[in-house]
PDB file of all heavy atoms in Angstrom:
ATOM      1  N   ARG L   1      33.828  10.237  -3.241  1.00 80.00           N
ATOM      2  CA  ARG L   1      35.160   9.558  -3.184  1.00 80.00           C
ATOM      3  C   ARG L   1      35.989  10.487  -2.435  1.00 80.00           C
ATOM      4  O   ARG L   1      35.889  11.795  -2.395  1.00 80.00           O
ATOM      5  CB  ARG L   1      35.752   9.423  -4.577  1.00 80.00           C
ATOM      6  CG  ARG L   1      37.144   8.923  -4.677  1.00 80.00           C
ATOM      7  CD  ARG L   1      37.577   8.778  -5.959  1.00 80.00           C
ATOM      8  NE  ARG L   1      37.088   7.726  -6.759  1.00 80.00           N
ATOM      9  CZ  ARG L   1      37.277   7.452  -8.014  1.00 80.00           C
ATOM     10  NH1 ARG L   1      38.049   8.124  -8.811  1.00 80.00           N
ATOM     11  NH2 ARG L   1      36.679   6.403  -8.689  1.00 80.00           N
ATOM     12  N   HIS L   2      37.012   9.976  -1.721  1.00 80.00           N
ATOM     13  CA  HIS L   2      37.930  10.872  -0.922  1.00 80.00           C
ATOM     14  C   HIS L   2      39.322  10.199  -1.168  1.00 80.00           C
ATOM     15  O   HIS L   2      39.614   8.981  -1.270  1.00 80.00           O
ATOM     16  CB  HIS L   2      37.565  10.854   0.473  1.00 80.00           C
ATOM     17  CG  HIS L   2      37.594   9.475   1.217  1.00 80.00           C
ATOM     18  ND1 HIS L   2      38.674   8.913   1.737  1.00 80.00           N
ATOM     19  CD2 HIS L   2      36.498   8.636   1.408  1.00 80.00           C
ATOM     20  CE1 HIS L   2      38.360   7.813   2.211  1.00 80.00           C
ATOM     21  NE2 HIS L   2      37.081   7.571   2.042  1.00 80.00           N
ATOM     22  N   THR L   3      40.265  11.119  -1.379  1.00 80.00           N
ATOM     23  CA  THR L   3      41.756  10.742  -1.330  1.00 80.00           C
ATOM     24  C   THR L   3      42.525  11.775  -0.485  1.00 80.00           C
ATOM     25  O   THR L   3      41.797  12.590   0.025  1.00 80.00           O
ATOM     26  CB  THR L   3      42.310  10.908  -2.801  1.00 80.00           C
ATOM     27  OG1 THR L   3      42.106  12.305  -3.252  1.00 80.00           O
ATOM     28  CG2 THR L   3      41.562   9.924  -3.869  1.00 80.00           C
ATOM     29  N   PHE L   4      43.796  11.559  -0.350  1.00 80.00           N
ATOM     30  CA  PHE L   4      44.565  12.373   0.631  1.00 80.00           C
ATOM     31  C   PHE L   4      44.443  13.872   0.080  1.00 80.00           C
ATOM     32  O   PHE L   4      44.297  14.767   0.939  1.00 80.00           O
ATOM     33  CB  PHE L   4      45.962  11.940   0.656  1.00 80.00           C
ATOM     34  CG  PHE L   4      46.817  12.952   1.595  1.00 80.00           C
ATOM     35  CD1 PHE L   4      46.738  12.830   2.921  1.00 80.00           C
ATOM     36  CD2 PHE L   4      47.771  13.734   0.969  1.00 80.00           C
ATOM     37  CE1 PHE L   4      47.515  13.709   3.677  1.00 80.00           C
ATOM     38  CE2 PHE L   4      48.514  14.533   1.698  1.00 80.00           C
ATOM     39  CZ  PHE L   4      48.465  14.576   2.969  1.00 80.00           C
ATOM     40  N   LEU L   5      44.673  14.158  -1.120  1.00 85.00           N
ATOM     41  CA  LEU L   5      44.791  15.396  -1.648  1.00 85.00           C
ATOM     42  C   LEU L   5      43.342  16.032  -1.800  1.00 85.00           C
ATOM     43  O   LEU L   5      43.226  17.250  -1.743  1.00 85.00           O
ATOM     44  CB  LEU L   5      45.436  15.445  -3.054  1.00 85.00           C
ATOM     45  CG  LEU L   5      46.926  15.096  -3.104  1.00 85.00           C
ATOM     46  CD1 LEU L   5      47.477  15.046  -4.545  1.00 85.00           C
ATOM     47  CD2 LEU L   5      47.721  15.938  -2.208  1.00 85.00           C
ATOM     48  N   SER L   6      42.293  15.237  -1.909  1.00 87.00           N
ATOM     49  CA  SER L   6      40.962  15.752  -2.166  1.00 87.00           C
ATOM     50  C   SER L   6      40.058  14.966  -1.202  1.00 87.00           C
ATOM     51  O   SER L   6      39.522  13.948  -1.582  1.00 87.00           O
ATOM     52  CB  SER L   6      40.451  15.742  -3.470  1.00 87.00           C
ATOM     53  OG  SER L   6      39.197  16.198  -3.531  1.00 87.00           O
ATOM     54  N   PRO L   7      39.910  15.316   0.146  1.00 85.00           N
ATOM     55  CA  PRO L   7      39.151  14.478   1.002  1.00 85.00           C
ATOM     56  C   PRO L   7      37.564  14.483   0.693  1.00 85.00           C
ATOM     57  O   PRO L   7      36.925  13.512   0.992  1.00 85.00           O
ATOM     58  CB  PRO L   7      39.404  15.138   2.318  1.00 85.00           C
ATOM     59  CG  PRO L   7      40.587  15.985   2.221  1.00 85.00           C
ATOM     60  CD  PRO L   7      40.653  16.299   0.734  1.00 85.00           C
ATOM     61  N   GLU L   8      37.160  15.457  -0.056  1.00 84.00           N
ATOM     62  CA  GLU L   8      35.763  15.584  -0.515  1.00 84.00           C
ATOM     63  C   GLU L   8      35.526  15.513  -2.013  1.00 84.00           C
ATOM     64  O   GLU L   8      36.005  16.620  -2.616  1.00 84.00           O
ATOM     65  CB  GLU L   8      35.015  16.533   0.171  1.00 84.00           C
ATOM     66  CG  GLU L   8      34.910  16.425   1.712  1.00 84.00           C
ATOM     67  CD  GLU L   8      34.315  17.615   2.313  1.00 84.00           C
ATOM     68  OE1 GLU L   8      33.259  18.047   1.863  1.00 84.00           O
ATOM     69  OE2 GLU L   8      34.804  18.218   3.429  1.00 84.00           O
ATOM     70  N   GLN L   9      35.136  14.651  -2.653  1.00 86.00           N
ATOM     71  CA  GLN L   9      34.981  14.630  -4.076  1.00 86.00           C
ATOM     72  C   GLN L   9      33.538  14.167  -4.317  1.00 86.00           C
ATOM     73  O   GLN L   9      33.122  12.969  -3.895  1.00 86.00           O
ATOM     74  CB  GLN L   9      35.813  13.708  -4.814  1.00 86.00           C
ATOM     75  CG  GLN L   9      37.365  14.053  -4.595  1.00 86.00           C
ATOM     76  CD  GLN L   9      38.191  13.108  -5.463  1.00 86.00           C
ATOM     77  OE1 GLN L   9      37.973  12.772  -6.657  1.00 86.00           O
ATOM     78  NE2 GLN L   9      39.412  12.741  -4.803  1.00 86.00           N
ATOM     79  N   TYR L  10      32.750  14.972  -5.049  1.00 85.00           N
ATOM     80  CA  TYR L  10      31.351  14.626  -5.328  1.00 85.00           C
ATOM     81  C   TYR L  10      31.145  14.626  -6.829  1.00 85.00           C
ATOM     82  O   TYR L  10      31.696  15.409  -7.481  1.00 85.00           O
ATOM     83  CB  TYR L  10      30.341  15.681  -4.808  1.00 85.00           C
ATOM     84  CG  TYR L  10      30.297  15.837  -3.292  1.00 85.00           C
ATOM     85  CD1 TYR L  10      31.172  16.704  -2.543  1.00 85.00           C
ATOM     86  CD2 TYR L  10      29.319  14.985  -2.491  1.00 85.00           C
ATOM     87  CE1 TYR L  10      31.134  16.823  -1.216  1.00 85.00           C
ATOM     88  CE2 TYR L  10      29.450  15.116  -1.107  1.00 85.00           C
ATOM     89  CZ  TYR L  10      30.231  16.007  -0.522  1.00 85.00           C
ATOM     90  OH  TYR L  10      30.186  16.149   0.868  1.00 85.00           O
ATOM     91  N   THR L  11      30.400  13.565  -7.309  1.00 87.00           N
ATOM     92  CA  THR L  11      30.080  13.604  -8.733  1.00 87.00           C
ATOM     93  C   THR L  11      28.510  13.325  -8.794  1.00 87.00           C
ATOM     94  O   THR L  11      28.023  12.354  -8.174  1.00 87.00           O
ATOM     95  CB  THR L  11      30.699  12.431  -9.440  1.00 87.00           C
ATOM     96  OG1 THR L  11      32.228  12.627  -9.440  1.00 87.00           O
ATOM     97  CG2 THR L  11      30.334  12.435 -10.927  1.00 87.00           C
ATOM     98  N   VAL L  12      27.895  14.332  -9.381  1.00 87.00           N
ATOM     99  CA  VAL L  12      26.322  14.190  -9.423  1.00 87.00           C
ATOM    100  C   VAL L  12      26.089  14.143 -10.891  1.00 87.00           C
ATOM    101  O   VAL L  12      26.467  15.125 -11.741  1.00 87.00           O
ATOM    102  CB  VAL L  12      25.718  15.418  -8.865  1.00 87.00           C
ATOM    103  CG1 VAL L  12      24.247  15.415  -8.961  1.00 87.00           C
ATOM    104  CG2 VAL L  12      26.060  15.567  -7.354  1.00 87.00           C
ATOM    105  N   GLN L  13      25.293  13.242 -11.291  1.00 88.00           N
ATOM    106  CA  GLN L  13      25.019  12.921 -12.763  1.00 88.00           C
ATOM    107  C   GLN L  13      23.438  12.931 -12.916  1.00 88.00           C
ATOM    108  O   GLN L  13      22.753  12.252 -12.200  1.00 88.00           O
ATOM    109  CB  GLN L  13      25.595  11.703 -13.331  1.00 88.00           C
ATOM    110  CG  GLN L  13      25.392  11.463 -14.816  1.00 88.00           C
ATOM    111  CD  GLN L  13      26.151  10.228 -15.310  1.00 88.00           C
ATOM    112  OE1 GLN L  13      27.249  10.000 -14.902  1.00 88.00           O
ATOM    113  NE2 GLN L  13      25.596   9.504 -16.102  1.00 88.00           N
ATOM    114  N   GLN L  14      22.913  13.759 -13.860  1.00 89.00           N
ATOM    115  CA  GLN L  14      21.482  13.654 -14.193  1.00 89.00           C
ATOM    116  C   GLN L  14      21.268  13.530 -15.659  1.00 89.00           C
ATOM    117  O   GLN L  14      21.987  14.152 -16.383  1.00 89.00           O
ATOM    118  CB  GLN L  14      20.872  15.076 -13.781  1.00 89.00           C
ATOM    119  CG  GLN L  14      21.111  15.348 -12.247  1.00 89.00           C
ATOM    120  CD  GLN L  14      20.639  16.778 -11.895  1.00 89.00           C
ATOM    121  OE1 GLN L  14      19.543  17.091 -11.894  1.00 89.00           O
ATOM    122  NE2 GLN L  14      21.557  17.748 -11.702  1.00 89.00           N
ATOM    123  N   ASN L  15      20.341  12.634 -15.927  1.00 89.00           N
ATOM    124  CA  ASN L  15      20.038  12.325 -17.454  1.00 89.00           C
ATOM    125  C   ASN L  15      18.543  12.236 -17.612  1.00 89.00           C
ATOM    126  O   ASN L  15      17.886  11.842 -16.561  1.00 89.00           O
ATOM    127  CB  ASN L  15      20.676  11.006 -17.950  1.00 89.00           C
ATOM    128  CG  ASN L  15      22.137  11.046 -17.859  1.00 89.00           C
ATOM    129  OD1 ASN L  15      22.847  11.624 -18.797  1.00 89.00           O
ATOM    130  ND2 ASN L  15      22.834  10.454 -16.805  1.00 89.00           N
ATOM    131  N   ALA L  16      18.093  12.476 -18.776  1.00 87.00           N
ATOM    132  CA  ALA L  16      16.638  12.427 -18.940  1.00 87.00           C
ATOM    133  C   ALA L  16      16.464  12.293 -20.543  1.00 87.00           C
ATOM    134  O   ALA L  16      17.293  12.588 -21.378  1.00 87.00           O
ATOM    135  CB  ALA L  16      15.960  13.719 -18.451  1.00 87.00           C
ATOM    136  N   ILE L  17      15.192  11.933 -20.885  1.00 86.00           N
ATOM    137  CA  ILE L  17      14.759  11.777 -22.196  1.00 86.00           C
ATOM    138  C   ILE L  17      13.400  12.613 -22.175  1.00 86.00           C
ATOM    139  O   ILE L  17      12.389  12.239 -21.597  1.00 86.00           O
ATOM    140  CB  ILE L  17      14.511  10.344 -22.745  1.00 86.00           C
ATOM    141  CG1 ILE L  17      15.879   9.484 -22.659  1.00 86.00           C
ATOM    142  CG2 ILE L  17      13.954  10.376 -24.017  1.00 86.00           C
ATOM    143  CD1 ILE L  17      15.637   8.143 -23.050  1.00 86.00           C
ATOM    144  N   VAL L  18      13.434  13.580 -23.127  1.00 83.00           N
ATOM    145  CA  VAL L  18      12.259  14.352 -23.219  1.00 83.00           C
ATOM    146  C   VAL L  18      11.333  13.838 -24.388  1.00 83.00           C
ATOM    147  O   VAL L  18      11.631  13.703 -25.494  1.00 83.00           O
ATOM    148  CB  VAL L  18      12.569  15.836 -23.652  1.00 83.00           C
ATOM    149  CG1 VAL L  18      11.334  16.681 -23.762  1.00 83.00           C
ATOM    150  CG2 VAL L  18      13.523  16.511 -22.604  1.00 83.00           C
ATOM    151  N   SER L  19      10.146  13.288 -23.943  1.00 78.00           N
ATOM    152  CA  SER L  19       9.253  12.566 -24.881  1.00 78.00           C
ATOM    153  C   SER L  19       8.624  13.604 -25.847  1.00 78.00           C
ATOM    154  O   SER L  19       8.436  14.783 -25.596  1.00 78.00           O
ATOM    155  CB  SER L  19       7.984  12.036 -24.091  1.00 78.00           C
ATOM    156  OG  SER L  19       7.367  13.107 -23.446  1.00 78.00           O
ATOM    157  N   GLY L  20       8.613  13.229 -27.196  1.00 79.00           N
ATOM    158  CA  GLY L  20       8.062  14.017 -28.209  1.00 79.00           C
ATOM    159  C   GLY L  20       9.059  15.084 -28.843  1.00 79.00           C
ATOM    160  O   GLY L  20       8.588  15.904 -29.603  1.00 79.00           O
ATOM    161  N   ARG L  21      10.158  15.061 -28.392  1.00 84.00           N
ATOM    162  CA  ARG L  21      11.234  15.994 -28.933  1.00 84.00           C
ATOM    163  C   ARG L  21      12.472  15.242 -29.494  1.00 84.00           C
ATOM    164  O   ARG L  21      12.966  14.240 -28.924  1.00 84.00           O
ATOM    165  CB  ARG L  21      11.559  16.917 -27.780  1.00 84.00           C
ATOM    166  CG  ARG L  21      12.593  18.001 -28.257  1.00 84.00           C
ATOM    167  CD  ARG L  21      12.927  19.000 -27.022  1.00 84.00           C
ATOM    168  NE  ARG L  21      14.024  19.903 -27.337  1.00 84.00           N
ATOM    169  CZ  ARG L  21      14.601  20.768 -26.579  1.00 84.00           C
ATOM    170  NH1 ARG L  21      14.000  20.968 -25.237  1.00 84.00           N
ATOM    171  NH2 ARG L  21      15.567  21.428 -26.906  1.00 84.00           N
ATOM    172  N   LYS L  22      12.958  15.835 -30.536  1.00 87.00           N
ATOM    173  CA  LYS L  22      14.150  15.235 -31.214  1.00 87.00           C
ATOM    174  C   LYS L  22      15.281  16.357 -31.098  1.00 87.00           C
ATOM    175  O   LYS L  22      15.221  17.480 -30.980  1.00 87.00           O
ATOM    176  CB  LYS L  22      13.902  15.026 -32.650  1.00 87.00           C
ATOM    177  CG  LYS L  22      12.686  13.983 -32.880  1.00 87.00           C
ATOM    178  CD  LYS L  22      12.994  12.604 -32.308  1.00 87.00           C
ATOM    179  CE  LYS L  22      11.875  11.735 -32.722  1.00 87.00           C
ATOM    180  NZ  LYS L  22      12.029  10.342 -32.205  1.00 87.00           N
ATOM    181  N   TRP L  23      16.542  15.713 -31.338  1.00 89.00           N
ATOM    182  CA  TRP L  23      17.892  16.648 -31.290  1.00 89.00           C
ATOM    183  C   TRP L  23      17.599  17.426 -32.534  1.00 89.00           C
ATOM    184  O   TRP L  23      17.346  17.012 -33.603  1.00 89.00           O
ATOM    185  CB  TRP L  23      19.072  15.833 -31.394  1.00 89.00           C
ATOM    186  CG  TRP L  23      19.394  15.211 -29.995  1.00 89.00           C
ATOM    187  CD1 TRP L  23      19.059  13.939 -29.582  1.00 89.00           C
ATOM    188  CD2 TRP L  23      20.226  15.697 -28.971  1.00 89.00           C
ATOM    189  NE1 TRP L  23      19.546  13.703 -28.387  1.00 89.00           N
ATOM    190  CE2 TRP L  23      20.280  14.863 -27.989  1.00 89.00           C
ATOM    191  CE3 TRP L  23      20.759  17.090 -28.728  1.00 89.00           C
ATOM    192  CZ2 TRP L  23      20.995  15.058 -26.681  1.00 89.00           C
ATOM    193  CZ3 TRP L  23      21.449  17.320 -27.715  1.00 89.00           C
ATOM    194  CH2 TRP L  23      21.589  16.408 -26.519  1.00 89.00           C
ATOM    195  N   LEU L  24      18.110  18.742 -32.395  1.00 86.00           N
ATOM    196  CA  LEU L  24      18.095  19.570 -33.618  1.00 86.00           C
ATOM    197  C   LEU L  24      19.091  19.098 -34.714  1.00 86.00           C
ATOM    198  O   LEU L  24      18.867  19.124 -35.902  1.00 86.00           O
ATOM    199  CB  LEU L  24      18.410  21.006 -33.336  1.00 86.00           C
ATOM    200  CG  LEU L  24      17.395  21.698 -32.400  1.00 86.00           C
ATOM    201  CD1 LEU L  24      17.869  23.138 -31.987  1.00 86.00           C
ATOM    202  CD2 LEU L  24      15.938  21.714 -33.123  1.00 86.00           C
ATOM    203  N   HIS L  25      20.112  18.545 -34.207  1.00 82.00           N
ATOM    204  CA  HIS L  25      21.155  18.135 -35.161  1.00 82.00           C
ATOM    205  C   HIS L  25      20.989  16.643 -35.664  1.00 82.00           C
ATOM    206  O   HIS L  25      21.660  16.262 -36.472  1.00 82.00           O
ATOM    207  CB  HIS L  25      22.713  18.247 -34.550  1.00 82.00           C
ATOM    208  CG  HIS L  25      22.811  17.152 -33.443  1.00 82.00           C
ATOM    209  ND1 HIS L  25      22.416  17.508 -32.118  1.00 82.00           N
ATOM    210  CD2 HIS L  25      23.440  16.011 -33.368  1.00 82.00           C
ATOM    211  CE1 HIS L  25      22.723  16.394 -31.410  1.00 82.00           C
ATOM    212  NE2 HIS L  25      23.274  15.479 -32.063  1.00 82.00           N
ATOM    213  N   ASP L  26      19.991  15.899 -35.113  1.00 81.00           N
ATOM    214  CA  ASP L  26      19.719  14.535 -35.397  1.00 81.00           C
ATOM    215  C   ASP L  26      18.316  14.232 -35.068  1.00 81.00           C
ATOM    216  O   ASP L  26      17.967  13.853 -34.079  1.00 81.00           O
ATOM    217  CB  ASP L  26      20.650  13.655 -34.615  1.00 81.00           C
ATOM    218  CG  ASP L  26      20.594  12.301 -35.121  1.00 81.00           C
ATOM    219  OD1 ASP L  26      19.659  11.847 -35.912  1.00 81.00           O
ATOM    220  OD2 ASP L  26      21.377  11.373 -34.575  1.00 81.00           O
ATOM    221  N   SER L  27      17.487  14.477 -36.111  1.00 82.00           N
ATOM    222  CA  SER L  27      16.102  14.268 -36.019  1.00 82.00           C
ATOM    223  C   SER L  27      15.677  12.930 -35.788  1.00 82.00           C
ATOM    224  O   SER L  27      14.473  12.642 -35.592  1.00 82.00           O
ATOM    225  CB  SER L  27      15.315  14.881 -37.236  1.00 82.00           C
ATOM    226  OG  SER L  27      15.772  14.199 -38.407  1.00 82.00           O
ATOM    227  N   GLN L  28      16.587  11.975 -35.916  1.00 85.00           N
ATOM    228  CA  GLN L  28      16.251  10.526 -35.610  1.00 85.00           C
ATOM    229  C   GLN L  28      16.369  10.119 -34.158  1.00 85.00           C
ATOM    230  O   GLN L  28      15.928   8.916 -33.904  1.00 85.00           O
ATOM    231  CB  GLN L  28      17.238   9.665 -36.625  1.00 85.00           C
ATOM    232  CG  GLN L  28      17.108   9.947 -38.116  1.00 85.00           C
ATOM    233  CD  GLN L  28      15.527   9.711 -38.665  1.00 85.00           C
ATOM    234  OE1 GLN L  28      14.945   8.840 -38.409  1.00 85.00           O
ATOM    235  NE2 GLN L  28      15.199  10.825 -39.462  1.00 85.00           N
TER     236      GLN L  28
END
C-alpha cells in the first residue's frame, strides 16, 4: 500500500498449523 506520507508500506503475513502439536496453554 502507498500513501503520501508513506509511499512504501509492506505487510507480510505467515500462518501455519503444526501437525501433532497442541498449544501449551490450551491442549484442545
Side-chain angles (χ1 to χ4, degrees):
R1 175 184 287 176
H2 60 85
T3 61
F4 175 77
L5 294 178
S6 180
E8 297 178 42
Q9 299 180 39
Y10 297 90
T11 300
V12 178
Q13 184 173 323
Q14 303 172 73
N15 295 282
I17 299 176
V18 181
S19 60
R21 180 177 170 182
K22 305 293 184 180
W23 285 94
L24 294 178
H25 68 279
D26 188 353
S27 59
Q28 302 300 316

